[in-house]
Amino acid sequence: MCKNVVLVPMKKTVDSAMQKTCRPALFGRVWQASRRALSLEYSPPKQFACSQWQTGPKPSTFYLIYRWLLFITVVIVGVISFICQYLPKNYHGPEIELNYFKWFIYLTNWGYAMIIIQTGLALAVVHKYRNETKCNLSLDEEEHPMSSSKRTRTPLVCRAYWLTQNIATDLAFVITLVYWSLVYDPKMHTPNPVNLLVHGSNSLVMICELCVTAHPVRMAHALYGAGMGLTYGMFSYLYWAAGGTDRIGLPAIYPALDWNKPGAAIVFVSVCAVVLIFAHAFSTAVAAMRLCFNIRSFATKIVINTCKHINLSDV
């Protein structure tokens, strides 16, 4: 008797069931997208060994020479900055013995150490793929996620290089900005060559890196630079809490980062973390401009070569 009866669920029941089904799926997609954006996986990984402007299918000799010269230069400057430490020119306090190992407490030197590490890793990546027969460098930087059947991960050296390159670039821009706007005091600091190199050329080097390299810059990776800024803030607090002082015996490493005034110090660290995110946005824009110019240059070369071919055919 009930064969022709159709049971229609109530609207509230349907809506409730759909919500229960869709919410986990939506959160799952967001989580997967966030993981992919923050990950250091990239295909093809050989792109980390190439220059955006090379014409050959593998890391060029010119790019290899560039990597060696840059690595040697930044190492030499880093060693000089460690050796040539000095007290402020107008220091008139009690006589103190300069502790060279306090070089490691300054954010400037954290940032410069990251530049040394990332140039060394970049050199290692180039040598890793130098003997490969193909670099598989495409004009666009569209990422090709690996299929689920392929479990091969991006080599550790490539991931380490990409991570340090992101952090070193963001720190360089912020260090240059903060030093010359908030820290530099002509009564205490001397704009000598070493000072200019670690507080000015650091940003120029990283801009050059952004213009020369071929790998992309993901906006989501701004969290790595911001995380390093927060890590330094935590280090400065622990250093202060343990009774650490700067090179002339003051309790604050930087005047703006004085944990005797915790409110101001927290605000300063937070602002620096936000500025690091904007610095990474600038890096992303520079990388996008590099790609745009490369595509236009390649397209122009194709047109010129085509026109030459047509003219020769007509003759």
Side-chain angles (χ1 to χ4, degrees), residues 99 102 105 235-253 259-260:
N99 187 342
K102 287 189 176 181
I105 70 173
F235 161 78
S236 68
Y237 171 76
L238 295 175
Y239 183 77
W240 167 83
T245 60
D246 71 349
R247 59 166 55 104
I248 62 173
L250 297 177
I253 300 176
W259 288 101
N260 290 305

Side-chain angles (χ1 to χ4, degrees), residues 58-305:
K58 65 179 182 179
S60 64
T61 302
F62 175 81
Y63 189 58
L64 178 64
I65 295 173
Y66 162 78
R67 294 254 62 109
W68 266 110
L69 290 176
L70 183 61
F71 176 67
I72 293 172
T73 301
V74 297
V75 168
I76 291 174
V77 172
V79 171
I80 292 174
S81 72
F82 180 82
I83 295 174
C84 298
Q85 297 183 65
Y86 56 89
L87 296 175
K89 62 179 181 179
N90 289 335
Y91 175 74
H92 301 295
E95 184 177 352
I96 59 174
E97 183 179 355
L98 191 64
N99 187 342
Y100 281 84
F101 286 98
K102 287 189 176 181
W103 186 90
F104 295 97
I105 70 173
Y106 292 95
L107 180 62
T108 293
N109 300 326
W110 278 38
Y112 203 85
M114 292 301 298
I115 292 177
I116 294 174
I117 293 171
Q118 77 93 21
T119 52
L121 289 171
L123 181 60
V125 171
V126 173
H127 276 288
K128 174 180 174 61
Y129 291 107
R130 176 65 178 168
N131 296 324
E132 296 287 338
T133 58
K134 189 177 181 181
C135 187
N136 196 23
L137 181 64
S138 58
L139 279 176
D140 61 356
E141 289 179 344
E142 181 180 359
E143 300 181 25
H144 307 286
M146 301 177 185
S147 62
S148 58
S149 60
K150 293 184 179 180
R151 298 296 181 181
T152 304
R153 299 193 64 186
T154 301
L156 178 60
V157 65
C158 296
R159 285 180 280 144
Y161 160 64
W162 201 8
L163 176 63
T164 54
Q165 196 262 355
N166 281 305
I167 296 174
T169 304
D170 298 347
L171 285 181
F173 295 155
V174 173
I175 286 168
T176 299
L177 175 64
V178 172
Y179 178 80
W180 294 108
S181 62
L182 298 177
V183 177
Y184 177 73
D185 183 356
K187 296 180 181 179
M188 300 291 290
H189 303 107
T190 304
N192 54 37
V194 175
N195 195 7
L196 294 175
L197 285 172
V198 298
H199 295 110
S201 67
N202 57 337
S203 293
L204 295 178
V205 166
M206 299 319 296
I207 290 176
C208 181
E209 287 280 78
L210 288 171
C211 294
V212 171
T213 54
H215 60 79
V217 178
R218 289 178 181 168
M219 187 58 209
H221 288 178
L223 293 181
Y224 295 131
M228 179 59 76
L230 295 175
T231 299
Y232 180 79
M234 180 60 68
F235 161 78
S236 68
Y237 171 76
L238 295 175
Y239 183 77
W240 167 83
T245 60
D246 71 349
R247 59 166 55 104
I248 62 173
L250 297 177
I253 300 176
Y254 295 105
L257 193 56
D258 187 355
W259 288 101
N260 290 305
K261 304 173 183 177
I266 291 173
V267 170
F268 179 76
V269 172
S270 302
V271 169
C272 285
V274 173
V275 175
L276 280 164
I277 294 176
F278 282 100
H280 193 81
F282 174 74
S283 302
T284 306
V286 172
M289 291 173 62
R290 176 199 73 209
L291 176 62
C292 181
F293 284 131
N294 179 260
I295 292 174
R296 290 184 178 182
S297 175
F298 184 80
T300 302
K301 289 179 181 178
I302 291 177
V303 172
I304 293 175
N305 292 334

